[in-house]
Amino acid sequence: MDEARQEAIRNYCLHAGWMRFPGGVSFLAAGEYNENWLVETGQGLRVFRINHGSQLGLGESQIAYEHRVLELVGASGVTPLPYGVDPHPQAVEPALPGGVLLMEYIPGAPLDYTRDAGRAARIFAAVHSLPVPCGEETHKIPGLHDHAAPCGLVVQADPVGDIVRECEGMLARFSDHPRKEVLARLLRYRDEVARMGEDTRPLFAGEPLCIVNTEVNSGNFLISDQRAALVDWEKAVLSCRHQDLGHFLAATTTLWKTDYVFDAQARAGFLREYCHALYAAGAAVPPWDMLDAQTRVLERTILLRGLSWCYMAWYEYTRPEQSGHSIESGHSVKNGQAGRALTHAHTLATIERYLDGVEWLLR
């Protein structure tokens, strides 16, 4: 399969003018929703991304949506630049299975929480301080979102309420899910988060919206001596900054591929570095007490989303037909199929560890 995919990517890049002459194509990472390939274009290395689905419910509009996000955050200097997009790449054979996106290749290693948290804080500040364009045609997905930003992004102006509703959908997706004891605990926690959202609504009144990534695990950062960047912008929305800050700090995020948990000192250091970076960028710096309290609310909310996703994904991963199926990105030392298989095993193991430790995570 990998050889056929490489040929399809090479043929498409030549046809679209994204490659000056036949160059190398190698596998980078794959997941349920996207697969990424490294392409030698003649203008330098690029990432060729093939879309297979949408976590935002955007259907065939997903890849164009991600391209639009990359256009909007490009001025930050901490995200990959987009070079081209085609939602329907049907012009060459063999055919590609979904919409495609060409973007900048950024070399680097995943983020190390003990060493790189400050660099992550500066990345967030660079993105969150960007002005949100207005005055453009509103982008709507009929029947899905009540409204969207003039810049074309999905809006989550009520982040706690929006995430609670998202989690309810994940928890209710499989009526024959066997882990009923976990469901009962998560439903109780959902009620706690929903009440917290109502109680803290005044805390977020008037909070300015910004572009947030919403999936800021360590593997989505690329860190090198030359540059630090945040990649994978498929689920970006317009919301409050605390979605990213809370997600970054939540234990379900840090424990996904590491054994790290932020203690009080490290958490405060990360948020203070974020404030320093906002100030250096000339952006408004929120009062410390408010930033701390708002971020804590989203940390608790993100725990619900992470565990709800694990509950849903456990069912999908343990179905016989899902053998070798991958949701989270993974790297291959030999080829794409090996990378997907290794990632599947790691992801299922992590999901089971989270579900078995629900009480510890929610303490």
Side-chain angles (χ1 to χ4, degrees), residues 6 10-11 32 77 85 122 147 300:
Q6 289 169 321
R10 189 178 294 108
N11 288 347
E32 180 182 14
V85 64
R122 294 190 287 276
H147 61 286
R300 299 295 293 170

Side-chain angles (χ1 to χ4, degrees), residues 290-322:
M290 179 173 289
L291 177 69
D292 178 63
Q294 291 169 311
T295 301
R296 287 187 188 279
V297 170
L298 266 297
E299 286 175 73
R300 299 295 293 170
T301 306
I302 295 300
L303 282 173
L304 174 65
R305 182 166 68 185
L307 291 170
S308 298
W309 182 89
C310 285
Y311 176 82
M312 175 190 71
W314 183 89
Y315 184 98
E316 296 179 331
Y317 267 75
T318 55
R319 298 303 92 186
E321 65 273 15
Q322 295 298 320

Side-chain angles (χ1 to χ4, degrees), residues 62-73:
Q62 173 62 49
I63 200 72
Y65 181 87
E66 185 172 356
H67 181 268
R68 177 59 176 148
V69 171
L70 291 175
E71 288 181 323
L72 291 171
V73 299

